[in-house]
Amino acid sequence: MPSRISILDSMPVYRQDDCEGALFAAKWPHGFRCPRCAHSQYYEVSSRGRRLFECRSCCHQTSLTAGTALEGSRTPLTKWFHAMYLMQLGISAKLLAELIQVTYKTAWLINHKLRHAIGQWDRDRPLEGAVHLLGEIYGYEYHRHLGSSHAQESLKPQPVVVGASLNEAEQLVHLKMKAVDGPEGSDTARRGLTDGEEAAERFVQKHVFGGLPAGHVTRLERGHHGRTALHIAWREAVRWLSWTFGGIGPKHLQAYLNEFSFRLSCRATALAELIGCCGTTSRITYRGLVGPRSGIRPLKWGYRRPMQPNRRAM
């Protein structure tokens, strides 16, 4: 992981106009389209310092961030673009907050909104061609030296299916890592039916183009010392999760696996792809990211103030 000084030195300088132009091209790659009537002509207007686009046909006004992953954010656009650039390095929210000068909560929210956009990008692109599968377990055995003994005892191993499309040189072209019991799993998986054959079959049906039977893909044996491209990618993912975050719990594990797979699949084009999927992904709120509150019941206030006698009647 590069040092803070080297990251700061390598960060590009983004201008507001350049960021707006890039987001405009990502949101409307074929030119402006009114979200209400799909008309292609517009006026540019400004309201309270905001740049708005008014449709010449129906007079509907929309902003540059409306309908994108950035909608509703008060963080400057240039800081969003710096966060997109830094996601290529896979840094924590704490370091991101320090580098772009925002609060930790804002940095955490930005990172997870970007991961949400990456998840949508991943769902729209199934694996094709020669597909290899690897069944692995993420949990205690991978970062047992980093946490406390109490945390180790409560850590539940998470079954993960690693799949990839490979070229003729046995190099990764497109990588996917899916937690079997995660949000992209199935109800059958959550009921505990997570053996290797069933998990591989569900992975192929959901994430491989055409949903070929699992017997038509190459199955690899699990092992810490495997030398195939999938084994190496999995070890790199676990090492990144352990060294950068100290391990990830099951609630957000899938989002981090999607991020790692995205970086490894896109490589040099990761920033352009991330800007593009942010422009086409709808917003998600903080509550939508963290989920509903569980285990909390509202308490009814049992005390009632005694009624005071009406002094006027007296």
Side-chain angles (χ1 to χ4, degrees):
M1 183 68 188
S3 65
R4 289 171 173 80
I5 302 300
S6 61
I7 294 176
L8 284 172
D9 292 340
S10 64
M11 283 176 60
V13 178
Y14 291 120
R15 298 186 306 170
Q16 182 72 15
D17 293 343
D18 295 336
C19 295
E20 291 180 353
L23 187 58
F24 185 98
K27 182 178 180 179
W28 295 301
H30 305 293
F32 174 83
R33 288 293 182 272
C34 175
R36 177 178 293 177
C37 68
H39 193 68
S40 61
Q41 301 297 321
Y42 65 92
Y43 300 103
E44 282 199 33
V45 297
S46 60
S47 174
R48 299 179 182 178
R50 297 178 61 202
R51 184 184 179 189
L52 300 176
F53 302 88
E54 182 175 317
C55 176
R56 290 190 177 186
S57 176
C58 67
C59 298
H60 176 73
Q61 292 184 350
T62 184
S63 68
L64 197 57
T65 59
T68 71
L70 286 64
E71 181 179 354
S73 175
R74 292 177 291 182
T75 305
L77 198 57
T78 54
K79 293 191 176 185
W80 270 96
F81 272 70
H82 279 128
M84 294 180 200
Y85 172 82
L86 293 170
M87 180 152 281
Q88 299 176 103
L89 305 177
I91 66 175
S92 65
K94 182 179 179 181
L95 181 55
L96 177 64
E98 179 183 336
L99 292 173
I100 67 174
Q101 298 298 302
V102 296
T103 64
Y104 172 80
K105 182 177 180 179
T106 299
W108 185 93
L109 190 58
I110 288 175
N111 265 350
H112 275 273
K113 284 187 174 183
L114 295 179
R115 293 184 184 113
H116 172 68
I118 289 173
Q120 184 61 52
W121 179 93
D122 180 81
R123 283 188 289 272
D124 295 340
R125 290 164 176 80
L127 299 178
E128 296 180 337
V131 177
H132 290 198
L133 294 184
L134 172 66
E136 280 289 355
I137 301 292
Y138 176 78
Y140 160 72
E141 59 185 296
Y142 290 103
H143 52 273
R144 58 185 179 272
H145 301 296
L146 299 175
S148 64
S149 58
H150 177 73
Q152 294 167 10
E153 293 174 358
S154 62
L155 185 60
K156 177 185 176 182
Q158 300 294 311
V160 177
V161 177
V162 183
S165 300
L166 278 70
N167 58 19
E168 297 179 354
E170 298 294 322
Q171 296 175 335
L172 289 178
V173 177
H174 189 184
L175 176 68
K176 288 179 181 286
M177 297 181 178
K178 301 299 176 183
V180 175
D181 298 325
E184 298 184 27
S186 63
D187 295 336
T188 304
R190 294 190 181 96
R191 288 197 295 268
L193 302 178
T194 59
D195 61 87
E197 291 295 335
E198 292 182 354
E201 188 70 33
R202 286 192 299 272
F203 180 93
V204 171
Q205 292 174 358
K206 295 184 67 174
H207 305 293
V208 177
F209 182 78
L212 298 175
H216 288 69
V217 301
T218 303
R219 294 283 302 277
L220 303 177
E221 293 294 332
R222 176 189 171 200
H224 298 294
H225 303 290
R227 301 305 302 169
T228 67
L230 263 68
H231 287 98
I232 296 173
W234 174 246
R235 286 198 295 270
E236 290 179 357
V238 172
R239 188 179 300 113
W240 170 65
L241 293 174
S242 299
W243 288 0
T244 306
F245 310 101
I248 296 296
K251 184 174 184 179
H252 296 295
L253 176 61
Q254 186 58 67
Y256 288 85
L257 293 178
N258 287 343
E259 178 192 341
F260 180 85
S261 301
F262 173 80
R263 287 202 308 270
L264 209 62
S265 298
C266 295
R267 301 181 187 276
T269 63
L271 181 58
E273 291 285 350
L274 184 53
I275 296 172
C277 61
C278 283
T280 56
T281 302
S282 300
R283 66 175 295 191
I284 185 171
T285 62
Y286 175 79
R287 182 55 58 194
L289 286 170
V290 301
R293 296 181 180 180
S294 59
I296 300 178
R297 295 183 178 180
L299 297 178
K300 295 183 178 180
W301 186 251
Y303 173 77
R304 289 188 177 183
R305 185 177 181 181
M307 296 182 62
Q308 298 291 335
N310 192 343
R311 295 182 180 180
R312 293 183 179 180
M314 298 173 61

